Amino acid sequence: MHDVIPKQAVAKSFSNAAQDYDQFARFQHELAKSLIEMCPEEKKQTILDLGCGTGYCLPLLNQQYTKASLLGADIAPGMLAFAQQQYPEFQYAVADAENLPFAEGQFDLIFSNLAVQWCDDFSQVLIQAYKCLKPGGHFVLSTLADGTLAELKQAWSQVDQHQHVNQFDDENDLKAMLGASLFQIEQLNISTIYDYHKDVRGLTDSLKRIGAHNITDGRAKGLTSPRAVKQFMQAMETHRQEAGLPASYRVLSCCLKKPE
Ligand SMILES: C[S@@+](CC[C@H](N)C(=O)[O-])C[C@H]1O[C@@H](n2cnc3c(N)ncnc32)[C@H](O)[C@@H]1O
């Protein structure tokens, strides 16, 4: 289990990131495209993009399901305002994935790319999605597991004892929660994806610009000293590869079905 997630801080952080998000979300966008490929081919009429952020996935879903009505939902009002400006053709709603404000059986498909790792309890997300799906409906999602940003975590551990990197659930716990849910698991993949950066500043800046910097409680309060930052940067350099400095993401993707 990870620390309790301060939801207002998550919403604020992502709202503030809305304007810049798409320019820095290279890994998120690539993953979105492969998650769309995991979606079922059968027709879907009502689709929810849960944690839709800037709305990037909505036109992609629309291409695949041309007749569907699409709703983007997110906990961050700033993200939704941006999405509404970009893609006014879709509907939007403020919603917390752990307490969905939708009717039972409202959707044929719930899609969620890299959003539910910001929730306290993955099994609660599964219960909520199950409730809002029609029988035979699908929940296609990606989330992050422990091992994500391992290089940053390792480098900071050489500098101090503070928690500089967000905590993510262990992948075995995530799998156990999937197994204990009422969903049928149609597809399940776990893999590590590397996103390379030219330098440390580029890597940490991009995390900040997408609103995904550390917002959990054990983070260092106040300014980190220049000496600590220098030590951290040196420790990061030990991870350098030919392609650059890696940010690793341990990604769980799955396609779940609510039985008929
Ligand atoms: C990394 S962004 C991904 C955005 C989009 N799905 C994409 O693929 O570009 C994560 C999004 O999840 C939203 N989010 C975080 N916690 C949430 C929650 N409990 N309920 C709904 N959305 C949440 C954030 O506000 C943010 O917009």
mmCIF file of all heavy atoms in Angstrom, residues 155-185:
data_model
loop_
_atom_site.group_PDB
_atom_site.id
_atom_site.type_symbol
_atom_site.label_atom_id
_atom_site.label_comp_id
_atom_site.label_asym_id
_atom_site.label_seq_id
_atom_site.Cartn_x
_atom_site.Cartn_y
_atom_site.Cartn_z
ATOM 1 N N ALA A 155 18.628 7.330 -7.116
ATOM 2 C CA ALA A 155 19.555 8.464 -7.037
ATOM 3 C C ALA A 155 19.299 9.293 -5.777
ATOM 4 O O ALA A 155 20.235 9.670 -5.071
ATOM 5 C CB ALA A 155 19.430 9.322 -8.291
ATOM 6 N N TRP A 156 18.022 9.546 -5.466
ATOM 7 C CA TRP A 156 17.718 10.323 -4.253
ATOM 8 C C TRP A 156 18.105 9.557 -2.989
ATOM 9 O O TRP A 156 18.483 10.163 -1.984
ATOM 10 C CB TRP A 156 16.226 10.713 -4.204
ATOM 11 C CG TRP A 156 15.920 11.981 -4.956
ATOM 12 C CD1 TRP A 156 15.081 12.110 -6.011
ATOM 13 C CD2 TRP A 156 16.440 13.290 -4.691
ATOM 14 N NE1 TRP A 156 15.057 13.416 -6.438
ATOM 15 C CE2 TRP A 156 15.876 14.167 -5.643
ATOM 16 C CE3 TRP A 156 17.326 13.810 -3.748
ATOM 17 C CZ2 TRP A 156 16.169 15.530 -5.685
ATOM 18 C CZ3 TRP A 156 17.627 15.169 -3.789
ATOM 19 C CH2 TRP A 156 17.052 16.013 -4.746
ATOM 20 N N SER A 157 18.016 8.219 -3.044
ATOM 21 C CA SER A 157 18.342 7.431 -1.838
ATOM 22 C C SER A 157 19.818 7.597 -1.470
ATOM 23 O O SER A 157 20.223 7.357 -0.340
ATOM 24 C CB SER A 157 18.001 5.949 -2.042
ATOM 25 O OG SER A 157 18.969 5.360 -2.888
ATOM 26 N N GLN A 158 20.637 8.040 -2.421
ATOM 27 C CA GLN A 158 22.057 8.291 -2.132
ATOM 28 C C GLN A 158 22.256 9.653 -1.457
ATOM 29 O O GLN A 158 23.326 9.960 -0.981
ATOM 30 C CB GLN A 158 22.847 8.316 -3.430
ATOM 31 C CG GLN A 158 22.555 7.188 -4.346
ATOM 32 C CD GLN A 158 23.786 6.417 -4.721
ATOM 33 O OE1 GLN A 158 24.829 6.995 -4.931
ATOM 34 N NE2 GLN A 158 23.659 5.124 -4.759
ATOM 35 N N VAL A 159 21.183 10.485 -1.480
ATOM 36 C CA VAL A 159 21.323 11.866 -1.000
ATOM 37 C C VAL A 159 20.689 12.057 0.373
ATOM 38 O O VAL A 159 21.293 12.616 1.282
ATOM 39 C CB VAL A 159 20.670 12.851 -2.008
ATOM 40 C CG1 VAL A 159 20.807 14.291 -1.527
ATOM 41 C CG2 VAL A 159 21.269 12.682 -3.393
ATOM 42 N N ASP A 160 19.434 11.607 0.529
ATOM 43 C CA ASP A 160 18.758 11.772 1.829
ATOM 44 C C ASP A 160 17.670 10.702 1.995
ATOM 45 O O ASP A 160 17.483 9.851 1.134
ATOM 46 C CB ASP A 160 18.179 13.193 1.980
ATOM 47 C CG ASP A 160 17.129 13.513 0.914
ATOM 48 O OD1 ASP A 160 16.411 12.595 0.490
ATOM 49 O OD2 ASP A 160 17.027 14.689 0.500
ATOM 50 N N GLN A 161 16.964 10.793 3.114
ATOM 51 C CA GLN A 161 15.956 9.773 3.430
ATOM 52 C C GLN A 161 14.540 10.198 3.044
ATOM 53 O O GLN A 161 13.578 9.490 3.301
ATOM 54 C CB GLN A 161 15.965 9.478 4.957
ATOM 55 C CG GLN A 161 17.288 8.950 5.481
ATOM 56 C CD GLN A 161 17.760 7.742 4.675
ATOM 57 O OE1 GLN A 161 17.019 6.787 4.505
ATOM 58 N NE2 GLN A 161 18.977 7.810 4.144
ATOM 59 N N HIS A 162 14.395 11.392 2.450
ATOM 60 C CA HIS A 162 13.048 11.853 2.092
ATOM 61 C C HIS A 162 12.470 11.037 0.938
ATOM 62 O O HIS A 162 13.216 10.440 0.162
ATOM 63 C CB HIS A 162 13.077 13.324 1.665
ATOM 64 C CG HIS A 162 13.414 14.250 2.783
ATOM 65 N ND1 HIS A 162 12.634 14.377 3.907
ATOM 66 C CD2 HIS A 162 14.471 15.079 2.958
ATOM 67 C CE1 HIS A 162 13.180 15.252 4.724
ATOM 68 N NE2 HIS A 162 14.299 15.690 4.179
ATOM 69 N N GLN A 163 11.146 11.085 0.853
ATOM 70 C CA GLN A 163 10.503 10.396 -0.271
ATOM 71 C C GLN A 163 10.320 11.399 -1.415
ATOM 72 O O GLN A 163 9.478 12.283 -1.350
ATOM 73 C CB GLN A 163 9.157 9.863 0.198
ATOM 74 C CG GLN A 163 8.477 9.021 -0.859
ATOM 75 C CD GLN A 163 7.019 8.872 -0.550
ATOM 76 O OE1 GLN A 163 6.640 8.511 0.565
ATOM 77 N NE2 GLN A 163 6.177 9.185 -1.525
ATOM 78 N N HIS A 164 11.149 11.276 -2.450
ATOM 79 C CA HIS A 164 11.121 12.240 -3.552
ATOM 80 C C HIS A 164 10.274 11.768 -4.726
ATOM 81 O O HIS A 164 10.029 12.524 -5.647
ATOM 82 C CB HIS A 164 12.546 12.502 -4.053
ATOM 83 C CG HIS A 164 13.396 13.223 -3.057
ATOM 84 N ND1 HIS A 164 13.487 14.596 -3.008
ATOM 85 C CD2 HIS A 164 14.184 12.762 -2.061
ATOM 86 C CE1 HIS A 164 14.306 14.947 -2.035
ATOM 87 N NE2 HIS A 164 14.743 13.852 -1.447
ATOM 88 N N VAL A 165 9.917 10.495 -4.703
ATOM 89 C CA VAL A 165 9.199 9.922 -5.845
ATOM 90 C C VAL A 165 7.860 9.372 -5.348
ATOM 91 O O VAL A 165 7.794 8.788 -4.261
ATOM 92 C CB VAL A 165 10.035 8.778 -6.477
ATOM 93 C CG1 VAL A 165 9.289 8.109 -7.619
ATOM 94 C CG2 VAL A 165 11.376 9.315 -6.979
ATOM 95 N N ASN A 166 6.800 9.583 -6.126
ATOM 96 C CA ASN A 166 5.480 9.050 -5.727
ATOM 97 C C ASN A 166 5.553 7.544 -5.524
ATOM 98 O O ASN A 166 6.289 6.854 -6.223
ATOM 99 C CB ASN A 166 4.454 9.349 -6.822
ATOM 100 C CG ASN A 166 4.099 10.819 -6.873
ATOM 101 O OD1 ASN A 166 3.849 11.429 -5.841
ATOM 102 N ND2 ASN A 166 4.101 11.392 -8.049
ATOM 103 N N GLN A 167 4.740 7.068 -4.579
ATOM 104 C CA GLN A 167 4.697 5.620 -4.343
ATOM 105 C C GLN A 167 3.617 5.000 -5.225
ATOM 106 O O GLN A 167 2.555 5.598 -5.427
ATOM 107 C CB GLN A 167 4.331 5.358 -2.891
ATOM 108 C CG GLN A 167 5.448 5.698 -1.930
ATOM 109 C CD GLN A 167 4.999 5.437 -0.509
ATOM 110 O OE1 GLN A 167 3.918 5.880 -0.093
ATOM 111 N NE2 GLN A 167 5.800 4.734 0.234
ATOM 112 N N PHE A 168 3.900 3.814 -5.716
ATOM 113 C CA PHE A 168 2.920 3.097 -6.528
ATOM 114 C C PHE A 168 2.731 1.708 -5.953
ATOM 115 O O PHE A 168 3.662 1.142 -5.375
ATOM 116 C CB PHE A 168 3.399 3.017 -7.982
ATOM 117 C CG PHE A 168 3.604 4.370 -8.605
ATOM 118 C CD1 PHE A 168 4.872 4.927 -8.698
ATOM 119 C CD2 PHE A 168 2.525 5.105 -9.069
ATOM 120 C CE1 PHE A 168 5.058 6.192 -9.247
ATOM 121 C CE2 PHE A 168 2.696 6.369 -9.618
ATOM 122 C CZ PHE A 168 3.976 6.908 -9.708
ATOM 123 N N ASP A 169 1.532 1.141 -6.161
ATOM 124 C CA ASP A 169 1.239 -0.198 -5.638
ATOM 125 C C ASP A 169 2.150 -1.238 -6.275
ATOM 126 O O ASP A 169 2.540 -1.111 -7.443
ATOM 127 C CB ASP A 169 -0.213 -0.588 -5.952
ATOM 128 C CG ASP A 169 -1.203 0.123 -5.051
ATOM 129 O OD1 ASP A 169 -0.858 0.413 -3.888
ATOM 130 O OD2 ASP A 169 -2.327 0.391 -5.515
ATOM 131 N N ASP A 170 2.436 -2.285 -5.519
ATOM 132 C CA ASP A 170 3.177 -3.420 -6.048
ATOM 133 C C ASP A 170 2.332 -4.099 -7.134
ATOM 134 O O ASP A 170 1.118 -4.230 -6.985
ATOM 135 C CB ASP A 170 3.429 -4.395 -4.885
ATOM 136 C CG ASP A 170 4.328 -5.524 -5.311
ATOM 137 O OD1 ASP A 170 3.803 -6.510 -5.895
ATOM 138 O OD2 ASP A 170 5.534 -5.406 -5.090
ATOM 139 N N GLU A 171 2.992 -4.549 -8.204
ATOM 140 C CA GLU A 171 2.208 -5.140 -9.313
ATOM 141 C C GLU A 171 1.471 -6.407 -8.885
ATOM 142 O O GLU A 171 0.388 -6.707 -9.407
ATOM 143 C CB GLU A 171 3.105 -5.415 -10.523
ATOM 144 C CG GLU A 171 4.195 -6.409 -10.280
ATOM 145 C CD GLU A 171 5.290 -6.315 -11.348
ATOM 146 O OE1 GLU A 171 5.867 -5.225 -11.526
ATOM 147 O OE2 GLU A 171 5.550 -7.341 -11.989
ATOM 148 N N ASN A 172 2.023 -7.144 -7.911
ATOM 149 C CA ASN A 172 1.324 -8.352 -7.441
ATOM 150 C C ASN A 172 0.046 -7.983 -6.690
ATOM 151 O O ASN A 172 -0.953 -8.690 -6.778
ATOM 152 C CB ASN A 172 2.246 -9.193 -6.555
ATOM 153 C CG ASN A 172 3.353 -9.792 -7.394
ATOM 154 O OD1 ASN A 172 3.102 -10.273 -8.496
ATOM 155 N ND2 ASN A 172 4.580 -9.735 -6.899
ATOM 156 N N ASP A 173 0.088 -6.849 -5.969
ATOM 157 C CA ASP A 173 -1.134 -6.384 -5.293
ATOM 158 C C ASP A 173 -2.182 -5.959 -6.322
ATOM 159 O O ASP A 173 -3.369 -6.247 -6.179
ATOM 160 C CB ASP A 173 -0.824 -5.195 -4.363
ATOM 161 C CG ASP A 173 0.049 -5.606 -3.187
ATOM 162 O OD1 ASP A 173 0.106 -6.817 -2.891
ATOM 163 O OD2 ASP A 173 0.699 -4.732 -2.575
ATOM 164 N N LEU A 174 -1.719 -5.264 -7.371
ATOM 165 C CA LEU A 174 -2.665 -4.842 -8.426
ATOM 166 C C LEU A 174 -3.309 -6.071 -9.075
ATOM 167 O O LEU A 174 -4.521 -6.123 -9.276
ATOM 168 C CB LEU A 174 -1.946 -4.000 -9.488
ATOM 169 C CG LEU A 174 -1.455 -2.616 -9.041
ATOM 170 C CD1 LEU A 174 -0.604 -1.969 -10.127
ATOM 171 C CD2 LEU A 174 -2.621 -1.703 -8.683
ATOM 172 N N LYS A 175 -2.474 -7.066 -9.365
ATOM 173 C CA LYS A 175 -2.998 -8.296 -9.998
ATOM 174 C C LYS A 175 -3.988 -8.997 -9.069
ATOM 175 O O LYS A 175 -5.019 -9.506 -9.509
ATOM 176 C CB LYS A 175 -1.844 -9.244 -10.346
ATOM 177 C CG LYS A 175 -1.167 -8.879 -11.658
ATOM 178 C CD LYS A 175 -0.374 -10.035 -12.229
ATOM 179 C CE LYS A 175 1.012 -10.067 -11.649
ATOM 180 N NZ LYS A 175 1.895 -11.081 -12.204
ATOM 181 N N ALA A 176 -3.654 -9.016 -7.768
ATOM 182 C CA ALA A 176 -4.550 -9.671 -6.804
ATOM 183 C C ALA A 176 -5.894 -8.943 -6.750
ATOM 184 O O ALA A 176 -6.960 -9.586 -6.684
ATOM 185 C CB ALA A 176 -3.899 -9.692 -5.418
ATOM 186 N N MET A 177 -5.864 -7.611 -6.824
ATOM 187 C CA MET A 177 -7.120 -6.849 -6.783
ATOM 188 C C MET A 177 -7.946 -7.101 -8.050
ATOM 189 O O MET A 177 -9.171 -7.185 -7.993
ATOM 190 C CB MET A 177 -6.833 -5.359 -6.594
ATOM 191 C CG MET A 177 -6.362 -5.033 -5.182
ATOM 192 S SD MET A 177 -6.174 -3.263 -4.911
ATOM 193 C CE MET A 177 -4.396 -3.116 -4.851
ATOM 194 N N LEU A 178 -7.258 -7.255 -9.179
ATOM 195 C CA LEU A 178 -7.981 -7.588 -10.423
ATOM 196 C C LEU A 178 -8.635 -8.960 -10.296
ATOM 197 O O LEU A 178 -9.793 -9.148 -10.658
ATOM 198 C CB LEU A 178 -7.005 -7.600 -11.614
ATOM 199 C CG LEU A 178 -6.541 -6.248 -12.141
ATOM 200 C CD1 LEU A 178 -5.436 -6.428 -13.174
ATOM 201 C CD2 LEU A 178 -7.712 -5.485 -12.758
ATOM 202 N N GLY A 179 -7.853 -9.910 -9.744
ATOM 203 C CA GLY A 179 -8.352 -11.280 -9.593
ATOM 204 C C GLY A 179 -9.532 -11.348 -8.638
ATOM 205 O O GLY A 179 -10.433 -12.177 -8.824
ATOM 206 N N ALA A 180 -9.544 -10.481 -7.634
ATOM 207 C CA ALA A 180 -10.621 -10.503 -6.633
ATOM 208 C C ALA A 180 -11.856 -9.734 -7.100
ATOM 209 O O ALA A 180 -12.904 -9.782 -6.457
ATOM 210 C CB ALA A 180 -10.108 -9.909 -5.323
ATOM 211 N N SER A 181 -11.738 -8.999 -8.203
ATOM 212 C CA SER A 181 -12.884 -8.208 -8.681
ATOM 213 C C SER A 181 -13.877 -9.114 -9.409
ATOM 214 O O SER A 181 -13.585 -10.288 -9.666
ATOM 215 C CB SER A 181 -12.402 -7.100 -9.632
ATOM 216 O OG SER A 181 -12.113 -7.655 -10.907
ATOM 217 N N LEU A 182 -15.024 -8.538 -9.784
ATOM 218 C CA LEU A 182 -16.037 -9.334 -10.489
ATOM 219 C C LEU A 182 -15.800 -9.360 -11.997
ATOM 220 O O LEU A 182 -16.539 -10.002 -12.740
ATOM 221 C CB LEU A 182 -17.432 -8.764 -10.188
ATOM 222 C CG LEU A 182 -17.847 -8.837 -8.713
ATOM 223 C CD1 LEU A 182 -19.139 -8.069 -8.471
ATOM 224 C CD2 LEU A 182 -18.013 -10.298 -8.276
ATOM 225 N N PHE A 183 -14.772 -8.649 -12.445
ATOM 226 C CA PHE A 183 -14.479 -8.595 -13.885
ATOM 227 C C PHE A 183 -13.857 -9.898 -14.389
ATOM 228 O O PHE A 183 -13.123 -10.564 -13.662
ATOM 229 C CB PHE A 183 -13.469 -7.474 -14.169
ATOM 230 C CG PHE A 183 -14.058 -6.092 -14.208
ATOM 231 C CD1 PHE A 183 -13.756 -5.173 -13.207
ATOM 232 C CD2 PHE A 183 -14.896 -5.700 -15.250
ATOM 233 C CE1 PHE A 183 -14.281 -3.889 -13.242
ATOM 234 C CE2 PHE A 183 -15.421 -4.413 -15.289
ATOM 235 C CZ PHE A 183 -15.112 -3.508 -14.283
ATOM 236 N N GLN A 184 -14.110 -10.195 -15.659
ATOM 237 C CA GLN A 184 -13.326 -11.229 -16.362
ATOM 238 C C GLN A 184 -12.128 -10.511 -16.974
ATOM 239 O O GLN A 184 -12.307 -9.459 -17.599
ATOM 240 C CB GLN A 184 -14.133 -11.826 -17.517
ATOM 241 C CG GLN A 184 -15.328 -12.633 -17.076
ATOM 242 C CD GLN A 184 -16.283 -12.911 -18.246
ATOM 243 O OE1 GLN A 184 -16.091 -12.453 -19.370
ATOM 244 N NE2 GLN A 184 -17.335 -13.652 -17.952
ATOM 245 N N ILE A 185 -10.938 -11.102 -16.791
ATOM 246 C CA ILE A 185 -9.739 -10.459 -17.346
ATOM 247 C C ILE A 185 -9.526 -10.998 -18.764
ATOM 248 O O ILE A 185 -9.210 -12.166 -18.947
ATOM 249 C CB ILE A 185 -8.496 -10.752 -16.475
ATOM 250 C CG1 ILE A 185 -8.742 -10.256 -15.047
ATOM 251 C CG2 ILE A 185 -7.246 -10.103 -17.071
ATOM 252 C CD1 ILE A 185 -7.666 -10.640 -14.054
#
